């Protein structure tokens, strides 16, 4: 929908009272129009027109002005026939009254051009805009706001025709004129900023489009109020961007708000409302919520067919979307005619080389592929690809869509060797898109985006499962794993390093604000709602979370130029780069968890209806570049075996060897032939296997620790060299035996002192009145470390505080011996270094949703504020550990967390990697205090001995 701001003022009242009444009615109409109350403005303008036309001798100037305004109002309510008639009358009056080169003629030409555009008559529209532009430049000069309006209108036509290279400079010139003439916060500036953002979004440059959309929305809300059609347009466009990045919840909320605004201001049957309904339908359809999408499409189609020309491209767009829904449901007989009708409307309306034509061809190709008509599907998809590459460039996201579809088609034609290079090109586009769009994302938004991109990666895993002997397939699947596994922690740690090592005081200040905000969020999450009602509590949590995401995004954006300087290798080079970084006697094993679908299904079964089975795939890389692939099997039995082994080891079950042999047979034995004679294994695990110590697996004769040296990685990408941190004075820092007296210890003699702590835990179902028992072994442990490293600085008792840890400057080695927690723990055995249950469960709020708020360390804190002792993983991610070679968490459950497919374990180890630690030693279960002291002393003796 195109929007132009039209100025209108009421003429002076004459002697005839009807003239004054007409002027008053017209003035009210203009006010209502400017306020976005289009439906209310129309009867006022019609009343003014009737009065002026009834005056003796008429009032040609006023009549033409009123007709021009009415034409714009009718167009906004999708009454295009009346809009065209009113504007044609106005144009004839003005040309007769003022001559064909008058500026008022240009105004009517501009409004008529908009109507022609909505009707799909783009050549006529462009000619009208061009004529109006020439009149205005001659009469008003090149820097007048009306000239900017004509430039914006002409650019809109180029935009609609996908002539983005012609549209952008016109928008930029119009924007410069209006910013200088009207100021940066004027509504018209917001309109042009919005339109420029559309160009960037259609070009796939979302990182440039988003801030422009946000600026346009802010300007429009400020200048027009929050209930205005132009505000709805900005909300819609921002929602489209979020939807294209897989952020469906954010997009849905914006669409809903836009629909409500347009229904209120334009009426429920306007074309503007139809556009929003159509877009919300896409949002639902892509999530598989077909029951919600179909009525929206049907309603949008009914509106558009009632108010638009039958050949309108907007009708075609809704037809395509409804066809996609039927295709996903396997209702092919309904989908085909809709696609064909849409294709005809696009070709006649916007030309045969427009991206909309490619869109319809792409969907027709999928339909014919699903029906087994491969030759026809191939012809349509190659045609779509050619249009997309020619108009949008070879790196556009929709080009990747066509490449993936052609690859799928080649697989169904039993031509996998031809599919692989197509998938490789698509992977390169996805990686480029990730680098271009996601440099300024918060962690949560980046994780959502990675999930959105994961479908193509999983298809490559399935391809490697189906063709493990094809070296090109193996290399491609491995490249995808090396690029995407753990990518969110990679980007978060890159931002952390830039802030701590390269950026200035302003960024440091903002980072401190983020750290403080995370501490407030952790405190509120752990305290629970208290006396606050649940809605208020959840609203406060959301506000803090949203504020933190915004700060993260801002810092990511500021660090983006520095992070871009150390970009990862491209997909076609990363396997070789990682292989060259492997030690000569080592092998990398990348294990991926993926959803496996049949690559060559029977015709007639939609892909969305194919069964999906979670499976594990192992990809192996040798230093000489050789690769291997083996399917480990369905995930369900492997996950069950992993859980049994963890439980057996944690409970010291004497039968743990049987569990260790079972998991060995499932998860290690199949890949052993690919390892060869290597004895050093670098494991990058996924899913529940990321919570298993492979050294504890048993082959029936021995534990694997007796045969292999294991190193655990997030991804083989971790082996690539990173920039060295500046040299710092050598330092070893130990935190041990924190004073829990105020933080939660409750010996019988001091029961009263812990009352505030008990109240705190009584309120939290998650912590279940847990208390922290003293850990005398940790002080002895610290003393043993200090004997081995006399320079070690030890903080114990009240000095081993959370506040001191969070302010720590990066030491060479950081050792923390205390209680650890992950808030899904079972009761802790006496003498362990975990949180223990000492009373009945409380009865309140659910545990924090963010796993980084459910895991952490317990230190000394404020006796009146128990959460001040609990350093959550979210807070520890803000440490500066760049240059820290080793972090040892000598505590319970520090390796646990929430497993997220492809992105690792969300808990303490992730937090410390983000903070910069090179190596982290953690535990996967509860550990005994005295036993751990002995083990840690031996660990450091061995470390000192090299």
């Amino acid at each position: 929908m195109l929007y132009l701001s039209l100025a209108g003022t009421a003429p002076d009242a004459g002697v005839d009272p009807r003239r004054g009444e007409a002027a008053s009615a017209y003035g009210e109409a203009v006010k209502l129009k400017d306020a976005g109350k289009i439906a209310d403005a129309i009867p006022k303008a019609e009343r003014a027109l009737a009065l002026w036309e009834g005056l003796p001798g008429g009032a040609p100037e006023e009549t033409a002005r009123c007709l021009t305004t009415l034409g714009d109002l009718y167009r906004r309510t999708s009454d295009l026939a009346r809009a065209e008639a009113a504007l044609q009358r106005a144009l004839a009056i003005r040309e007769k009254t003022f001559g064909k080169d008058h500026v008022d003629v240009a105004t009517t030409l501009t409004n008529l051009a908009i109507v022609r555009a909505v009707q799909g008559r783009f050549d006529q529209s462009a000619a009208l805009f061009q004529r109006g532009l020439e009149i205005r430049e001659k009469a008003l000069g090149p820097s007048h706001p009306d000239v900017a309006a004509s430039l914006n209108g002409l650019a809109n036509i180029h935009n609609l025709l996908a002539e983005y290279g012609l549209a952008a400079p016109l928008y930029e010139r119009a924007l410069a004129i209006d910013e200088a003439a009207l100021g940066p916060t004027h509504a018209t500036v917001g309109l042009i900023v919005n339109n420029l953002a559309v160009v960037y979004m259609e070009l796939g440059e979302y990182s440039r489009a988003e801030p422009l959309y946000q600026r346009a929305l802010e300007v429009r809300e400020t200048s027009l109020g929050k209930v205005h059609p132009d505000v709805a347009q900005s909300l819609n466009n921002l929602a489209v961007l979020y939807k294209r990045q897989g952020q469906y919840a954010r997009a849905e909320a914006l669409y809903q708000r836009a629909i409500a605004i347009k229904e209120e201001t334009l009426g429920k049957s306007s074309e503007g409302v139809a556009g929003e309904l159509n877009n919300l339908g896409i949002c639902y359809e892509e999530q598989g919520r077909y029951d919600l999408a179909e009525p929206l499409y049907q309603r949008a189609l009914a509106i558009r067919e009632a108010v638009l020309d039958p050949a309108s491209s907007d009708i075609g767009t809704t037809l395509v979307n409804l066809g996609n829904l039927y295709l996903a449901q396997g209702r092919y007989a309904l989908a085909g005619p809709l696609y064909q009708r849409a294709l005809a409307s696009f070709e006649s309306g916007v030309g045969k080389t427009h991206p909309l034509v490619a869109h319809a061809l792409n969907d027709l190709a999928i339909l014919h592929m699903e029906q087994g008509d491969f030759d026809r599907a191939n012809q349509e998809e190659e045609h779509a690809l050619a249009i997309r590459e020619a108009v949008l460039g070879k790196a556009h996201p929709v080009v990747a869509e066509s490449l993936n579809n052609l690859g799928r088609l080649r697989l169904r034609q039993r031509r996998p060797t031809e599919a692989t290079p197509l998938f490789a090109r698509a992977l390169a586009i996805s990686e480029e898109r990730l680098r271009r769009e996601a440099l300024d994302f918060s962690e949560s938004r980046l994780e959502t985006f990675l999930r959105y991109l994961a479908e193509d990666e999983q298809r490559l895993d399935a391809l490697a499962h189906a063709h493990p002997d094809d070296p090109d397939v193996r290399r491609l699947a491995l490249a995808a794993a090396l690029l995407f596994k753990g990518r969110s922690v990679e980007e978060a740690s890159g931002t952390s390093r830039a802030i701590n090592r390269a950026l200035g005081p302003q960024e440091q200040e903002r980072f401190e604000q983020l750290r403080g905000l995370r501490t407030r969020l952790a405190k509120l999450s752990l305290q629970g709602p208290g006396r606050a009602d649940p809605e208020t509590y959840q609203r406060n949590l959301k506000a803090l979370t949203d504020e933190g995401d915004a700060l993260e995004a801002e810092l990511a954006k500021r660090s983006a130029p520095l992070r871009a300087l150390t970009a990862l290798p491209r997909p076609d080079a990363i396997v070789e780069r990682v292989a060259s970084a492997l030690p000569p006697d080592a092998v990398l094993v990348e294990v991926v968890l993926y959803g496996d679908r049949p690559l060559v299904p029977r015709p007639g079964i939609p892909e969305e209806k194919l069964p999906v089975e979670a499976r594990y795939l192992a990809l192996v890389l040798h230093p000489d570049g050789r690769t291997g692939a083996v399917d480990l099997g369905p995930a369900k039995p492997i996950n069950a075996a992993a859980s049994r082994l963890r439980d057996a080891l944690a409970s010291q079950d004497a039968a743990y060897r049987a569990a260790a042999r079972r998991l060995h047979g499932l998860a290690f034995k199949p890949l052993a032939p690919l390892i060869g004679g290597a004895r050093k294994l670098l494991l990058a695990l996924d899913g529940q296997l990321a919570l298993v110590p492979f050294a504890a697996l048993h082959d029936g004769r021995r534990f694997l620790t007796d045969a292999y040296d294991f190193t655990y990685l997030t991804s083989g990408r971790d082996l690539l060299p990173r920039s060295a941190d500046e040299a710092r004075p050598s330092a070893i820092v130990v935190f041990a035996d924190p004073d829990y007296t105020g933080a939660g210890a409750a010996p019988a003699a001091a029961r009263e002192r812990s009352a505030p702590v008990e109240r705190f835990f009584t309120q939290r179902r998650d912590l279940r009145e847990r208390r922290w028992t003293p850990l005398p072994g940790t002080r002895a442990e610290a003393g043993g470390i200090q004997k081995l490293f006399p320079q070690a600085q030890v903080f114990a008792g009240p000095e081993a505080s959370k506040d001191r840890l969070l302010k720590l400057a990066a030491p060479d080695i950081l050792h923390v011996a205390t209680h650890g927690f992950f808030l899904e723990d079972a009761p802790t055995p006496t003498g362990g270094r975990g949180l223990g249950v000492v009373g009945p469960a409380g009865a309140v709020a659910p545990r924090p949703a963010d796993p980084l708020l459910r895991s952490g360390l317990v230190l000394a804190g404020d006796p009146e504020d128990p959460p001040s002792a609990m350093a959550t993983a979210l807070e520890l991610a803000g440490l500066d550990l760049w240059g820290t070679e080793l972090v040892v968490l000598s505590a319970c459950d520090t390796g646990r967390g929430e497993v997220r497919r492809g992105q690792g374990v969300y808990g303490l180890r992730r937090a410390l990697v983000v903070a910069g630690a090179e190596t982290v030693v953690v535990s996967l279960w509860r550990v005994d205090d005295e036993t751990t002291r002995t083990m840690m002393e031996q660990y450091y003796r061995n470390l000192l001995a090299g």
Side-chain angles (χ1 to χ4, degrees), residues 664-921:
H664 175 275
L666 291 171
F668 191 84
K669 186 177 180 180
L671 67 85
L674 302 181
I675 293 172
R679 289 294 173 261
K680 184 175 291 184
L681 301 187
L682 307 176
L683 301 182
L685 302 170
D686 201 357
Q688 291 300 314
L689 291 179
L691 295 174
V692 171
F694 266 53
L697 301 188
H698 200 281
D699 64 6
R701 295 181 299 108
R702 59 183 176 177
F703 290 105
L704 291 190
T705 191
D706 296 326
Y708 302 100
D709 292 330
F710 290 99
T711 299
Y712 300 95
L713 309 170
T714 301
S715 159
R717 186 181 60 248
D718 296 346
L719 299 171
L720 296 175
R722 61 181 181 183
S723 301
D725 289 294
E726 61 188 42
R728 293 187 169 198
S730 178
I732 299 174
V733 176
V734 180
F735 284 73
D737 194 22
D739 179 7
Y740 303 130
T741 304
R751 191 75 173 168
E752 191 63 32
R753 185 188 296 180
S754 67
V757 182
E758 289 187 3
R759 285 198 298 272
F760 163 61
F761 287 128
T762 300
Q763 292 175 350
R764 294 299 297 168
R765 182 190 302 274
D766 313 320
L767 297 177
R768 296 183 168 183
E769 287 193 297
R770 297 171 188 256
R771 69 175 181 179
W772 305 308
T773 55
L775 297 173
T778 63
R779 188 178 288 267
E781 186 175 305
I785 294 172
Q786 199 165 39
K787 286 181 182 178
L788 294 171
F789 299 92
Q791 76 275 25
Q793 188 174 12
V794 175
F795 298 105
E799 291 188 333
S801 68
K802 170 182 172 178
D803 185 62
R804 186 184 297 276
L805 178 61
L806 293 182
K807 293 179 180 178
L808 186 69
D812 287 339
I813 297 175
L814 171 62
H815 183 97
V816 183
T818 183
H819 286 295
F821 66 89
F822 180 68
L823 293 187
E824 285 181 347
D825 294 343
T828 303
T830 303
R833 296 187 183 183
L835 298 179
V837 176
V838 300
V844 241
R847 64 182 183 273
D850 187 346
L852 298 184
L853 289 169
R854 287 188 273 122
S855 54
L857 303 170
V858 184
L859 297 152
D862 182 353
E864 300 301 320
D865 182 17
S868 70
M870 303 170 73
T872 64
L874 183 66
E875 296 168 276
L876 294 172
L879 288 172
D880 176 8
L881 297 180
W882 293 96
T884 297
E885 295 181 3
L886 174 66
V887 175
V888 177
L889 301 183
S890 182
C892 295
D893 296 316
T894 51
R896 292 188 63 197
E898 182 177 296
V899 177
R900 296 186 178 174
R901 195 205 74 80
Q903 298 307 317
V905 180
Y906 278 61
L908 282 167
R909 48 175 157 170
R910 174 190 173 86
L912 295 169
V913 169
V914 168
E918 291 185 19
T919 302
V920 182
V921 176

Side-chain angles (χ1 to χ4, degrees), residues 115 143 158 165 233 238 370 418 448 510 566 620 678 795 831 907 938:
V115 172
S143 300
H158 290 308
Q233 185 196 39
L238 198 53
E370 300 292 359
E418 296 178 32
T448 300
R510 297 295 279 167
T566 56
V620 175
F795 298 105
Q938 188 60 44

Side-chain angles (χ1 to χ4, degrees), residues 434-680:
L434 186 59
R435 298 179 194 211
R436 189 173 61 244
E437 289 180 44
L439 282 175
D440 58 353
F441 282 4
S442 66
E443 277 196 72
S444 62
R445 183 171 174 185
L446 176 58
E447 187 191 353
T448 300
F449 191 39
L450 288 166
R451 284 201 304 269
Y452 181 67
L453 297 177
E455 182 180 345
D456 295 338
E457 176 193 352
Q458 294 194 58
R459 186 178 290 115
L460 297 179
D461 297 332
L463 187 62
H465 169 206
H467 301 279
D469 297 329
D470 187 325
D472 292 333
V473 169
R474 294 197 304 263
R475 188 169 297 273
L476 185 58
L478 186 55
L482 291 171
L483 285 168
F484 291 118
K485 267 182 73 179
R487 188 63 172 270
S488 60
V489 72
E490 169 96 17
E491 298 297 340
S493 63
T495 299
S496 169
R497 187 180 188 281
I499 292 167
N500 284 296
R501 290 292 176 268
L503 298 181
Q506 190 176 11
E507 287 77 18
Q508 292 282 350
E509 181 181 347
R510 297 295 279 167
F511 191 52
E512 285 304 313
Q513 290 177 23
L514 177 60
R515 286 169 51 132
L517 189 147
R518 286 173 170 174
T519 295
R520 287 163 54 202
L521 178 59
K523 181 176 180 178
L524 183 62
S525 297
L526 294 170
Q527 279 181 331
R531 295 182 179 179
D533 66 271
E535 283 190 14
T536 301
Y537 175 67
Q538 292 299 329
R539 191 162 52 248
N540 291 339
L541 283 177
K542 185 177 186 305
L544 286 172
T545 301
D546 290 347
E547 188 179 349
D549 279 355
L551 272 173
E552 282 182 26
E554 178 188 337
L555 289 167
K557 186 172 185 176
R558 294 189 184 193
S559 68
L562 290 172
R563 287 153 55 211
L565 295 176
T566 56
L568 292 170
R570 301 289 175 185
D572 58 356
I574 192 166
V575 174
E576 286 73 15
R577 290 279 296 277
V578 171
S580 67
L582 283 168
D585 56 344
V587 166
L588 170 67
V589 179
E590 285 277 357
V591 175
V592 294
L593 174 65
Y594 70 101
D596 188 45
R597 275 192 176 123
L599 291 173
V600 187
R602 297 192 312 273
I605 302 176
E607 186 168 312
E608 286 78 0
K609 290 190 174 183
L610 293 173
V612 180
E613 181 183 43
R615 301 183 72 90
Y616 282 104
L617 174 74
L619 299 162
V620 175
L621 179 63
H622 293 265
D624 60 5
R626 286 181 295 118
T627 61
V630 62
D631 175 55
L632 300 181
K636 188 174 181 179
I638 293 175
N639 289 342
S643 295
R644 279 197 294 273
L645 177 59
R646 286 199 309 272
D647 291 345
L649 290 170
S651 62
Q652 301 180 24
D653 187 341
Y656 69 87
R657 285 197 181 190
R661 286 196 297 272
R662 168 69 174 161
L663 187 58
H664 175 275
L666 291 171
F668 191 84
K669 186 177 180 180
L671 67 85
L674 302 181
I675 293 172
R679 289 294 173 261
K680 184 175 291 184

